């Protein structure tokens, strides 16, 4: 995918400078699934995952801001 290519290129570029690349869209395994499935609260596991759901995704497909409940506890840093 394009994102994989960009991540690989950025990783190499920053590694040459002695820095570490961190994908700003990676929230960890569990939170990535929560974003993908649209799970905001505990009860959403039933209403959005197990039952048919009509909830809209976060963003519009071209621009995307992570949901506030994800960014509240994970800082997105591209290079350290």
């Amino acid at each position: 995918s394009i994102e994989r290519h960009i991540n690989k290129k950025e990783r190499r570029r920053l590694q040459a400078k002695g820095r570490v690349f961190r994908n700003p869209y990676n929230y960890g395994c569990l939170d990535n699934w929560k974003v993908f499935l649209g799970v905001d609260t505990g009860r959403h596991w039933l209403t959005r995952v197990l039952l048919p759901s009509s909830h809209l995704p976060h963003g519009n497909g071209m621009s995307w801001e992570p949901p506030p409940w994800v960014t509240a506890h994970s800082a997105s840093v591209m290079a350290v």
Side-chain angles (χ1 to χ4, degrees):
S1 73
I2 293 172
E3 185 178 348
R4 182 175 180 215
H5 174 71
I6 291 169
N7 290 345
K8 185 177 179 181
K9 192 173 181 178
E10 281 298 297
R11 191 176 293 114
R12 285 183 186 164
R13 184 180 72 80
L14 291 172
Q15 190 175 32
K17 294 181 176 185
R19 300 171 82 186
V20 177
F21 171 76
R22 292 197 183 132
N23 186 336
Y25 301 106
N26 183 4
Y27 305 112
C29 189
L30 182 61
D31 283 339
N32 284 346
W33 277 105
K34 286 180 179 179
V35 170
F36 176 72
L37 297 169
V39 175
D40 295 341
T41 65
R43 73 178 186 85
H44 284 157
W45 283 104
L46 176 65
T47 60
R48 293 190 175 176
V49 178
L50 299 177
L51 300 173
S53 175
S54 62
H55 75 279
L56 297 174
H58 296 282
N60 63 10
M62 295 300 287
S63 62
W64 185 81
E65 290 294 326
W69 55 268
V70 171
T71 57
H73 63 81
S74 67
S76 298
V77 176
M78 193 156 196
V80 177

